[in-house]
Amino acid sequence: MFGSMIRYISTKPKPKMKPIELKTSPEQTQTITRVIFDILNEHGPLTVGDTWERVKEVGLRGLTSKRYMKIVLRWMRGRQNIRLICNHVGPHKQFLYTTWFTK
């Protein structure tokens, strides 16, 4: 009992995550999210890499890097526009982004 009490006291609390704030203007954010949503809706569940390739084909002006696209995807998940699913095949996991209510 004493050992479990020490382990409980010695663990640090989880840091509080602040809300994601996007650095683009609201109009540009709306354009970026609409294009990403349309890509995910049209082409089905996609990984981050596949989504980035599709976005590069479209040629968005406000989306300059894959890192910023990941931030936008996380922001969209927080607002429940898209969801993240895990495709677990054998020892490998694959995380896919998709819209709600797609087959």
Side-chain angles (χ1 to χ4, degrees):
M1 176 151 163
F2 186 69
S4 61
M5 173 98 63
I6 290 176
R7 271 184 268 137
Y8 177 73
I9 293 172
S10 66
T11 58
K12 293 182 180 178
K14 198 173 185 182
K16 294 185 179 179
M17 300 295 288
K18 62 180 181 177
I20 299 170
E21 297 175 6
L22 299 178
K23 297 178 181 175
T24 55
S25 67
E27 298 84 20
Q28 203 168 20
T29 301
Q30 185 178 8
T31 305
I32 291 169
T33 55
R34 175 53 51 194
V35 168
I36 291 175
F37 185 83
D38 290 341
I39 287 171
L40 291 174
N41 198 19
E42 182 179 338
H43 298 289
L46 295 173
T47 62
V48 173
D50 295 337
T51 307
W52 176 243
E53 291 298 320
R54 301 273 184 183
V55 167
K56 282 197 308 187
E57 290 174 5
V58 172
L60 274 175
R61 195 171 278 266
L63 205 58
T64 56
S65 66
K66 187 175 179 180
R67 181 177 182 219
Y68 189 66
M69 187 195 71
K70 288 180 184 180
I71 292 170
V72 171
L73 286 170
R74 196 167 55 214
W75 180 78
M76 289 174 72
R77 274 184 57 211
R79 296 174 70 82
Q80 295 185 348
N81 294 338
I82 59 174
R83 64 187 176 130
L84 184 67
I85 56 174
C86 178
N87 187 10
H88 192 97
V89 179
H92 305 288
K93 288 183 182 178
Q94 189 176 29
F95 294 97
L96 304 168
Y97 284 96
T98 184
T99 57
W100 290 92
F101 312 117
T102 55
K103 294 180 182 180

